[in-house]
PDB file of all heavy atoms in Angstrom:
ATOM      1  N   TYR J  91      11.936 -11.899  16.162  1.00  0.00           N
ATOM      2  CA  TYR J  91      12.180 -11.439  17.518  1.00  0.00           C
ATOM      3  C   TYR J  91      10.963 -11.768  18.354  1.00  0.00           C
ATOM      4  O   TYR J  91       9.825 -11.424  18.000  1.00  0.00           O
ATOM      5  CB  TYR J  91      12.437  -9.935  17.551  1.00  0.00           C
ATOM      6  CG  TYR J  91      12.468  -9.343  18.946  1.00  0.00           C
ATOM      7  CD1 TYR J  91      13.461  -9.707  19.857  1.00  0.00           C
ATOM      8  CD2 TYR J  91      11.505  -8.438  19.373  1.00  0.00           C
ATOM      9  CE1 TYR J  91      13.484  -9.199  21.134  1.00  0.00           C
ATOM     10  CE2 TYR J  91      11.516  -7.901  20.650  1.00  0.00           C
ATOM     11  CZ  TYR J  91      12.519  -8.282  21.523  1.00  0.00           C
ATOM     12  OH  TYR J  91      12.544  -7.772  22.795  1.00  0.00           O
ATOM     13  N   ASN J  92      11.180 -12.480  19.473  1.00  0.00           N
ATOM     14  CA  ASN J  92      10.082 -12.929  20.319  1.00  0.00           C
ATOM     15  C   ASN J  92      10.269 -12.382  21.728  1.00  0.00           C
ATOM     16  O   ASN J  92      11.372 -12.429  22.275  1.00  0.00           O
ATOM     17  CB  ASN J  92      10.057 -14.467  20.352  1.00  0.00           C
ATOM     18  CG  ASN J  92       8.851 -15.012  21.077  1.00  0.00           C
ATOM     19  OD1 ASN J  92       8.872 -15.138  22.282  1.00  0.00           O
ATOM     20  ND2 ASN J  92       7.818 -15.347  20.328  1.00  0.00           N
ATOM     21  N   GLN J  93       9.173 -11.880  22.291  1.00  0.00           N
ATOM     22  CA  GLN J  93       9.224 -11.254  23.619  1.00  0.00           C
ATOM     23  C   GLN J  93       7.959 -11.609  24.392  1.00  0.00           C
ATOM     24  O   GLN J  93       6.858 -11.644  23.827  1.00  0.00           O
ATOM     25  CB  GLN J  93       9.350  -9.745  23.479  1.00  0.00           C
ATOM     26  CG  GLN J  93       9.361  -8.974  24.794  1.00  0.00           C
ATOM     27  CD  GLN J  93       9.352  -7.469  24.562  1.00  0.00           C
ATOM     28  OE1 GLN J  93       9.015  -6.999  23.480  1.00  0.00           O
ATOM     29  NE2 GLN J  93       9.703  -6.704  25.579  1.00  0.00           N
ATOM     30  N   HIS J  94       8.077 -11.913  25.670  1.00  0.00           N
ATOM     31  CA  HIS J  94       6.893 -12.088  26.506  1.00  0.00           C
ATOM     32  C   HIS J  94       7.195 -11.557  27.901  1.00  0.00           C
ATOM     33  O   HIS J  94       8.323 -11.612  28.391  1.00  0.00           O
ATOM     34  CB  HIS J  94       6.443 -13.548  26.551  1.00  0.00           C
ATOM     35  CG  HIS J  94       7.491 -14.509  27.029  1.00  0.00           C
ATOM     36  ND1 HIS J  94       8.440 -15.046  26.204  1.00  0.00           N
ATOM     37  CD2 HIS J  94       7.722 -15.022  28.272  1.00  0.00           C
ATOM     38  CE1 HIS J  94       9.217 -15.854  26.892  1.00  0.00           C
ATOM     39  NE2 HIS J  94       8.813 -15.863  28.157  1.00  0.00           N
ATOM     40  N   PHE J  95       6.159 -11.028  28.528  1.00  0.00           N
ATOM     41  CA  PHE J  95       6.340 -10.388  29.831  1.00  0.00           C
ATOM     42  C   PHE J  95       5.010 -10.338  30.567  1.00  0.00           C
ATOM     43  O   PHE J  95       3.928 -10.432  29.964  1.00  0.00           O
ATOM     44  CB  PHE J  95       6.929  -8.982  29.661  1.00  0.00           C
ATOM     45  CG  PHE J  95       6.223  -8.131  28.644  1.00  0.00           C
ATOM     46  CD1 PHE J  95       5.156  -7.334  28.992  1.00  0.00           C
ATOM     47  CD2 PHE J  95       6.636  -8.142  27.320  1.00  0.00           C
ATOM     48  CE1 PHE J  95       4.509  -6.550  28.064  1.00  0.00           C
ATOM     49  CE2 PHE J  95       5.999  -7.369  26.376  1.00  0.00           C
ATOM     50  CZ  PHE J  95       4.927  -6.561  26.753  1.00  0.00           C
ATOM     51  N   ASN J  96       5.101 -10.185  31.877  1.00  0.00           N
ATOM     52  CA  ASN J  96       3.928 -10.043  32.732  1.00  0.00           C
ATOM     53  C   ASN J  96       3.669  -8.557  33.004  1.00  0.00           C
ATOM     54  O   ASN J  96       4.599  -7.752  33.135  1.00  0.00           O
ATOM     55  CB  ASN J  96       4.127 -10.773  34.059  1.00  0.00           C
ATOM     56  CG  ASN J  96       4.183 -12.281  33.880  1.00  0.00           C
ATOM     57  OD1 ASN J  96       3.322 -12.852  33.226  1.00  0.00           O
ATOM     58  ND2 ASN J  96       5.202 -12.917  34.440  1.00  0.00           N
ATOM     59  N   THR J  97       2.388  -8.209  33.100  1.00  0.00           N
ATOM     60  CA  THR J  97       1.988  -6.837  33.410  1.00  0.00           C
ATOM     61  C   THR J  97       0.958  -6.888  34.543  1.00  0.00           C
ATOM     62  O   THR J  97       0.552  -7.959  34.990  1.00  0.00           O
ATOM     63  CB  THR J  97       1.371  -6.153  32.191  1.00  0.00           C
ATOM     64  OG1 THR J  97       0.130  -6.796  31.860  1.00  0.00           O
ATOM     65  CG2 THR J  97       2.304  -6.243  30.989  1.00  0.00           C
ATOM     66  N   PHE J  98       0.515  -5.716  34.936  1.00  0.00           N
ATOM     67  CA  PHE J  98      -0.466  -5.654  36.009  1.00  0.00           C
ATOM     68  C   PHE J  98      -1.823  -6.230  35.592  1.00  0.00           C
ATOM     69  O   PHE J  98      -2.628  -6.642  36.427  1.00  0.00           O
ATOM     70  CB  PHE J  98      -0.645  -4.202  36.484  1.00  0.00           C
ATOM     71  CG  PHE J  98      -1.281  -3.304  35.457  1.00  0.00           C
ATOM     72  CD1 PHE J  98      -2.659  -3.108  35.442  1.00  0.00           C
ATOM     73  CD2 PHE J  98      -0.512  -2.663  34.501  1.00  0.00           C
ATOM     74  CE1 PHE J  98      -3.249  -2.280  34.499  1.00  0.00           C
ATOM     75  CE2 PHE J  98      -1.097  -1.844  33.560  1.00  0.00           C
ATOM     76  CZ  PHE J  98      -2.464  -1.646  33.557  1.00  0.00           C
ATOM     77  N   PHE J  99      -2.098  -6.280  34.256  1.00  0.00           N
ATOM     78  CA  PHE J  99      -3.380  -6.802  33.800  1.00  0.00           C
ATOM     79  C   PHE J  99      -3.289  -8.233  33.272  1.00  0.00           C
ATOM     80  O   PHE J  99      -4.296  -8.822  32.926  1.00  0.00           O
ATOM     81  CB  PHE J  99      -3.975  -5.891  32.715  1.00  0.00           C
ATOM     82  CG  PHE J  99      -3.081  -5.702  31.513  1.00  0.00           C
ATOM     83  CD1 PHE J  99      -2.997  -6.654  30.525  1.00  0.00           C
ATOM     84  CD2 PHE J  99      -2.339  -4.537  31.389  1.00  0.00           C
ATOM     85  CE1 PHE J  99      -2.191  -6.467  29.424  1.00  0.00           C
ATOM     86  CE2 PHE J  99      -1.530  -4.335  30.286  1.00  0.00           C
ATOM     87  CZ  PHE J  99      -1.450  -5.303  29.304  1.00  0.00           C
ATOM     88  N   GLY J 100      -2.070  -8.797  33.186  1.00  0.00           N
ATOM     89  CA  GLY J 100      -1.966 -10.168  32.711  1.00  0.00           C
ATOM     90  C   GLY J 100      -0.657 -10.408  31.972  1.00  0.00           C
ATOM     91  O   GLY J 100       0.362  -9.761  32.222  1.00  0.00           O
ATOM     92  N   PHE J 101      -0.714 -11.358  31.033  1.00  0.00           N
ATOM     93  CA  PHE J 101       0.464 -11.837  30.324  1.00  0.00           C
ATOM     94  C   PHE J 101       0.411 -11.373  28.868  1.00  0.00           C
ATOM     95  O   PHE J 101      -0.641 -11.419  28.226  1.00  0.00           O
ATOM     96  CB  PHE J 101       0.490 -13.373  30.375  1.00  0.00           C
ATOM     97  CG  PHE J 101       1.604 -14.006  29.603  1.00  0.00           C
ATOM     98  CD1 PHE J 101       2.893 -14.034  30.108  1.00  0.00           C
ATOM     99  CD2 PHE J 101       1.353 -14.581  28.364  1.00  0.00           C
ATOM    100  CE1 PHE J 101       3.912 -14.631  29.385  1.00  0.00           C
ATOM    101  CE2 PHE J 101       2.364 -15.187  27.653  1.00  0.00           C
ATOM    102  CZ  PHE J 101       3.652 -15.201  28.169  1.00  0.00           C
ATOM    103  N   VAL J 102       1.566 -10.924  28.320  1.00  0.00           N
ATOM    104  CA  VAL J 102       1.634 -10.424  26.950  1.00  0.00           C
ATOM    105  C   VAL J 102       2.772 -11.138  26.215  1.00  0.00           C
ATOM    106  O   VAL J 102       3.866 -11.302  26.759  1.00  0.00           O
ATOM    107  CB  VAL J 102       1.870  -8.892  26.912  1.00  0.00           C
ATOM    108  CG1 VAL J 102       1.931  -8.415  25.466  1.00  0.00           C
ATOM    109  CG2 VAL J 102       0.781  -8.152  27.673  1.00  0.00           C
ATOM    110  N   LYS J 103       2.498 -11.542  24.987  1.00  0.00           N
ATOM    111  CA  LYS J 103       3.526 -12.139  24.129  1.00  0.00           C
ATOM    112  C   LYS J 103       3.561 -11.366  22.824  1.00  0.00           C
ATOM    113  O   LYS J 103       2.522 -11.123  22.199  1.00  0.00           O
ATOM    114  CB  LYS J 103       3.205 -13.616  23.847  1.00  0.00           C
ATOM    115  CG  LYS J 103       4.216 -14.292  22.940  1.00  0.00           C
ATOM    116  CD  LYS J 103       3.824 -15.739  22.668  1.00  0.00           C
ATOM    117  CE  LYS J 103       4.800 -16.400  21.710  1.00  0.00           C
ATOM    118  NZ  LYS J 103       4.418 -17.793  21.394  1.00  0.00           N
ATOM    119  N   ALA J 104       4.763 -10.965  22.406  1.00  0.00           N
ATOM    120  CA  ALA J 104       4.946 -10.224  21.167  1.00  0.00           C
ATOM    121  C   ALA J 104       5.835 -11.023  20.223  1.00  0.00           C
ATOM    122  O   ALA J 104       6.831 -11.619  20.656  1.00  0.00           O
ATOM    123  CB  ALA J 104       5.565  -8.858  21.443  1.00  0.00           C
ATOM    124  N   ASP J 105       5.483 -11.030  18.943  1.00  0.00           N
ATOM    125  CA  ASP J 105       6.231 -11.781  17.952  1.00  0.00           C
ATOM    126  C   ASP J 105       6.367 -10.921  16.690  1.00  0.00           C
ATOM    127  O   ASP J 105       5.357 -10.494  16.116  1.00  0.00           O
ATOM    128  CB  ASP J 105       5.512 -13.089  17.617  1.00  0.00           C
ATOM    129  CG  ASP J 105       6.384 -14.038  16.815  1.00  0.00           C
ATOM    130  OD1 ASP J 105       6.378 -13.937  15.573  1.00  0.00           O
ATOM    131  OD2 ASP J 105       7.052 -14.862  17.433  1.00  0.00           O
ATOM    132  N   HIS J 106       7.606 -10.631  16.263  1.00  0.00           N
ATOM    133  CA  HIS J 106       7.850  -9.767  15.116  1.00  0.00           C
ATOM    134  C   HIS J 106       8.788 -10.493  14.158  1.00  0.00           C
ATOM    135  O   HIS J 106       9.791 -11.084  14.587  1.00  0.00           O
ATOM    136  CB  HIS J 106       8.475  -8.440  15.551  1.00  0.00           C
ATOM    137  CG  HIS J 106       7.773  -7.803  16.709  1.00  0.00           C
ATOM    138  ND1 HIS J 106       6.529  -7.224  16.594  1.00  0.00           N
ATOM    139  CD2 HIS J 106       8.143  -7.662  18.007  1.00  0.00           C
ATOM    140  CE1 HIS J 106       6.166  -6.742  17.775  1.00  0.00           C
ATOM    141  NE2 HIS J 106       7.123  -7.008  18.647  1.00  0.00           N
ATOM    142  N   SER J 107       8.488 -10.435  12.837  1.00  0.00           N
ATOM    143  CA  SER J 107       9.261 -11.180  11.860  1.00  0.00           C
ATOM    144  C   SER J 107       9.539 -10.347  10.617  1.00  0.00           C
ATOM    145  O   SER J 107       8.717  -9.493  10.232  1.00  0.00           O
ATOM    146  CB  SER J 107       8.529 -12.464  11.442  1.00  0.00           C
ATOM    147  OG  SER J 107       8.296 -13.305  12.557  1.00  0.00           O
ATOM    148  N   VAL J 108      10.673 -10.621   9.991  1.00  0.00           N
ATOM    149  CA  VAL J 108      11.021 -10.082   8.675  1.00  0.00           C
ATOM    150  C   VAL J 108      11.389 -11.272   7.793  1.00  0.00           C
ATOM    151  O   VAL J 108      12.125 -12.174   8.249  1.00  0.00           O
ATOM    152  CB  VAL J 108      12.204  -9.095   8.773  1.00  0.00           C
ATOM    153  CG1 VAL J 108      12.557  -8.567   7.381  1.00  0.00           C
ATOM    154  CG2 VAL J 108      11.898  -7.956   9.713  1.00  0.00           C
ATOM    155  N   PHE J 109      10.894 -11.295   6.557  1.00  0.00           N
ATOM    156  CA  PHE J 109      11.154 -12.449   5.694  1.00  0.00           C
ATOM    157  C   PHE J 109      11.413 -12.008   4.258  1.00  0.00           C
ATOM    158  O   PHE J 109      10.985 -10.937   3.815  1.00  0.00           O
ATOM    159  CB  PHE J 109       9.972 -13.427   5.728  1.00  0.00           C
ATOM    160  CG  PHE J 109       8.647 -12.809   5.398  1.00  0.00           C
ATOM    161  CD1 PHE J 109       8.185 -12.742   4.092  1.00  0.00           C
ATOM    162  CD2 PHE J 109       7.846 -12.298   6.404  1.00  0.00           C
ATOM    163  CE1 PHE J 109       6.968 -12.154   3.786  1.00  0.00           C
ATOM    164  CE2 PHE J 109       6.615 -11.709   6.121  1.00  0.00           C
ATOM    165  CZ  PHE J 109       6.176 -11.648   4.807  1.00  0.00           C
ATOM    166  N   TYR J 110      12.173 -12.857   3.553  1.00  0.00           N
ATOM    167  CA  TYR J 110      12.502 -12.595   2.149  1.00  0.00           C
ATOM    168  C   TYR J 110      12.581 -13.937   1.426  1.00  0.00           C
ATOM    169  O   TYR J 110      13.245 -14.867   1.897  1.00  0.00           O
ATOM    170  CB  TYR J 110      13.839 -11.864   2.030  1.00  0.00           C
ATOM    171  CG  TYR J 110      14.277 -11.606   0.605  1.00  0.00           C
ATOM    172  CD1 TYR J 110      13.877 -10.465  -0.073  1.00  0.00           C
ATOM    173  CD2 TYR J 110      15.085 -12.527  -0.074  1.00  0.00           C
ATOM    174  CE1 TYR J 110      14.276 -10.225  -1.381  1.00  0.00           C
ATOM    175  CE2 TYR J 110      15.476 -12.306  -1.380  1.00  0.00           C
ATOM    176  CZ  TYR J 110      15.076 -11.152  -2.023  1.00  0.00           C
ATOM    177  OH  TYR J 110      15.465 -10.919  -3.334  1.00  0.00           O
ATOM    178  N   ASN J 111      11.918 -14.043   0.272  1.00  0.00           N
ATOM    179  CA  ASN J 111      11.917 -15.266  -0.516  1.00  0.00           C
ATOM    180  C   ASN J 111      12.194 -14.934  -1.986  1.00  0.00           C
ATOM    181  O   ASN J 111      11.537 -14.050  -2.547  1.00  0.00           O
ATOM    182  CB  ASN J 111      10.559 -15.991  -0.410  1.00  0.00           C
ATOM    183  CG  ASN J 111      10.162 -16.273   1.011  1.00  0.00           C
ATOM    184  OD1 ASN J 111      10.788 -17.088   1.686  1.00  0.00           O
ATOM    185  ND2 ASN J 111       9.120 -15.609   1.497  1.00  0.00           N
ATOM    186  N   TYR J 112      13.132 -15.642  -2.562  1.00  0.00           N
ATOM    187  CA  TYR J 112      13.496 -15.454  -3.969  1.00  0.00           C
ATOM    188  C   TYR J 112      13.182 -16.752  -4.709  1.00  0.00           C
ATOM    189  O   TYR J 112      13.633 -17.837  -4.313  1.00  0.00           O
ATOM    190  CB  TYR J 112      14.981 -15.115  -4.078  1.00  0.00           C
ATOM    191  CG  TYR J 112      15.489 -15.003  -5.504  1.00  0.00           C
ATOM    192  CD1 TYR J 112      15.524 -13.782  -6.156  1.00  0.00           C
ATOM    193  CD2 TYR J 112      15.955 -16.131  -6.184  1.00  0.00           C
ATOM    194  CE1 TYR J 112      15.993 -13.674  -7.461  1.00  0.00           C
ATOM    195  CE2 TYR J 112      16.420 -16.039  -7.479  1.00  0.00           C
ATOM    196  CZ  TYR J 112      16.448 -14.802  -8.115  1.00  0.00           C
ATOM    197  OH  TYR J 112      16.911 -14.697  -9.399  1.00  0.00           O
TER     198      TYR J 112
END
Side-chain angles (χ1 to χ4, degrees):
Y91 170 65
N92 187 275
Q93 178 186 18
H94 57 276
F95 49 90
N96 292 311
T97 67
F98 68 93
F99 57 80
F101 176 78
V102 180
K103 179 182 178 182
D105 192 273
H106 313 288
S107 301
V108 179
F109 55 89
Y110 177 88
N111 305 292
Y112 176 93

